[in-house]
Amino acid sequence: MANKESDKLLFDHNGDGVDRRGFLKCMAWAGTGVLCVMQGGVLKSYSLSRGSKPKVAGDFSFVQISDSHMGFNKPANPDVAATLNAALDKIKQLETPPEFMLHTGDISHLSKPEEFDALNQILKGAPTTQTFFVPGEHDVLNDDGKGYLERYGKEAKGSGWYSFDHKGVHFIGLVNVMNLKPGGLGTLGHEQLQWMEDDVHHLKASTPIIVFAHIPLWSVYPEWGWGTDDSAQALSYLKRFGSVTVLNGHIHQTMQKVEGNVTFHTAASTAFPQPQPGKAESPGPMKVPGDQLRQLLGITDVNYVQGHQALAVTDSSLA
């Protein structure tokens, strides 16, 4: 969006960093869904806010959800369980049934056992039988992530990183929420970086790579901790691959970037929105009119076609 005088926040009526006009700007910026197709290193996008949803055929698809924040009950969203259930309903309506889900962190709000249990109970109603997780900073608050690992990372390395292969695609789940840098900037650390280098060493350059983590691996807005301090080192191991997609959560809004062979994509939250980078004094839950909340929450559907360096990434709101 252009940096116009009319885009500036004039009155902070709710103490949440955004006035009504500012919210409408954010809503238009976040959008209600985008289909993105990577073709020859160029990302093509199609708005899903109007008209019918384009249908993309492929060998398999999966869904990304993020930032469910079970246990959160502030005015920004007093019922995060309801919006998570709405996300699952949205997944059930997808034209191509997904084979599994990725959850890119902040499962819980305060790392409490009952919050993890609540998510597990809700996911029993998911249309997929398997969900892969990486932790958010809210999942490792009290015990260095032990509670998270007991539930979701028993077979993972270190603080929860791992990889797996599915129908010719190599998935890498990274953890960048331990030992945060000043300001909340993410970090991967030497041990995990060394593991990642070894993990991809044997792969052919033609192998599609999908990396998923909580905090973005590109510098969205370092002043708010929206980036990862040592991400450049991790991405250097992926330069020889023709197709690399990086999926993240954390910032509670859809943003995309293409840099060389890498497509970066951050997902919306199922719990509450956050302000645009730099459009408020600080990040955090953004209160919006109740009848418009679900327009700023959503899911991401990813479709892979074997033999093509193209991943179709579709964002859909919960509205």
Side-chain angles (χ1 to χ4, degrees):
M1 296 178 63
N3 185 17
K4 299 178 182 178
E5 186 70 18
S6 61
D7 290 348
K8 296 181 179 179
L9 185 150
L10 300 178
F11 303 101
D12 187 2
H13 298 293
N14 300 316
D16 56 13
V18 63
D19 63 358
R20 179 169 176 79
R21 182 165 66 184
F23 160 71
L24 293 174
K25 296 288 185 182
C26 288
M27 184 174 66
W29 174 81
T32 57
V34 178
L35 171 68
C36 299
V37 180
M38 185 176 173
Q39 297 177 334
V42 177
L43 193 69
K44 297 182 179 179
S45 61
Y46 306 87
S47 174
L48 299 179
S49 59
R50 291 184 178 87
S52 61
K53 179 179 176 180
K55 186 175 182 179
V56 181
D59 292 329
F60 75 93
S61 67
F62 64 91
V63 167
Q64 178 193 7
I65 60 174
S66 196
D67 297 272
S68 48
H69 284 272
M70 301 306 297
F72 181 87
N73 60 359
K74 300 296 191 297
N77 184 357
D79 194 351
V80 295
T83 49
L84 178 56
N85 275 305
L88 297 185
D89 289 340
K90 198 79 174 181
I91 295 169
K92 293 174 185 177
Q93 297 168 13
L94 291 172
E95 294 179 353
T96 303
E99 297 192 10
F100 56 86
M101 292 196 299
L102 301 181
H103 193 304
T104 47
D106 280 354
I107 299 163
S108 66
H109 193 60
L110 296 174
S111 304
K112 294 181 178 180
E114 58 267 29
E115 295 172 351
F116 293 125
D117 292 342
L119 179 116
N120 293 345
Q121 185 65 34
I122 291 174
L123 289 189
K124 289 181 180 179
T128 61
T129 59
Q130 191 168 21
T131 302
F132 296 93
F133 297 89
V134 286
E137 76 278 8
H138 283 263
D139 300 321
V140 297
L141 291 176
N142 304 320
D143 57 0
D144 292 325
K146 292 180 181 178
Y148 165 86
L149 287 173
E150 288 175 358
R151 288 172 172 79
Y152 311 110
K154 290 182 179 179
E155 299 180 5
K157 309 291 185 182
S159 56
W161 57 82
Y162 60 99
S163 65
F164 65 93
D165 296 287
H166 187 81
K167 294 185 177 179
V169 179
H170 189 68
F171 290 78
I172 305 172
L174 298 179
V175 178
N176 54 2
V177 297
M178 307 299 292
N179 304 312
L180 297 177
K181 298 292 184 179
L185 203 64
T187 182
L188 296 165
H190 175 73
E191 182 182 359
Q192 185 173 193
L193 287 169
Q194 188 174 52
W195 167 85
M196 182 180 176
E197 183 179 20
D198 293 340
D199 180 67
V200 301
H201 180 73
H202 71 286
L203 298 174
K204 295 180 179 179
S206 59
T207 304
I209 305 292
I210 295 178
V211 178
F212 58 106
H214 182 63
I215 298 175
L217 294 183
W218 56 291
S219 296
V220 176
Y221 198 68
E223 292 85 347
W224 284 359
W226 288 4
T228 299
D229 182 61
D230 48 5
S231 61
Q233 186 65 41
L235 295 171
S236 72
Y237 305 143
L238 307 177
K239 288 182 177 180
R240 66 185 180 89
F241 295 96
S243 175
V244 179
T245 303
V246 181
L247 304 175
N248 302 104
H250 188 56
I251 70 172
H252 294 221
Q253 55 199 275
T254 299
M255 293 187 70
Q256 300 176 45
K257 175 186 177 182
V258 177
E259 187 172 303
N261 65 327
V262 183
T263 298
F264 299 91
H265 188 98
T266 65
S269 167
T270 66
F272 53 81
Q274 293 198 86
Q276 293 183 52
K279 295 295 184 179
E281 291 184 2
S282 63
M286 187 173 76
K287 184 179 178 181
V288 299
D291 61 345
Q292 298 171 342
L293 172 64
R294 295 192 182 195
Q295 297 181 42
L296 294 177
L297 308 179
I299 62 172
T300 300
D301 179 32
V302 182
N303 195 279
Y304 168 64
V305 182
Q306 187 174 7
H308 296 268
Q309 291 183 355
L311 290 176
V313 182
T314 306
D315 294 296
S316 300
S317 78
L318 301 188

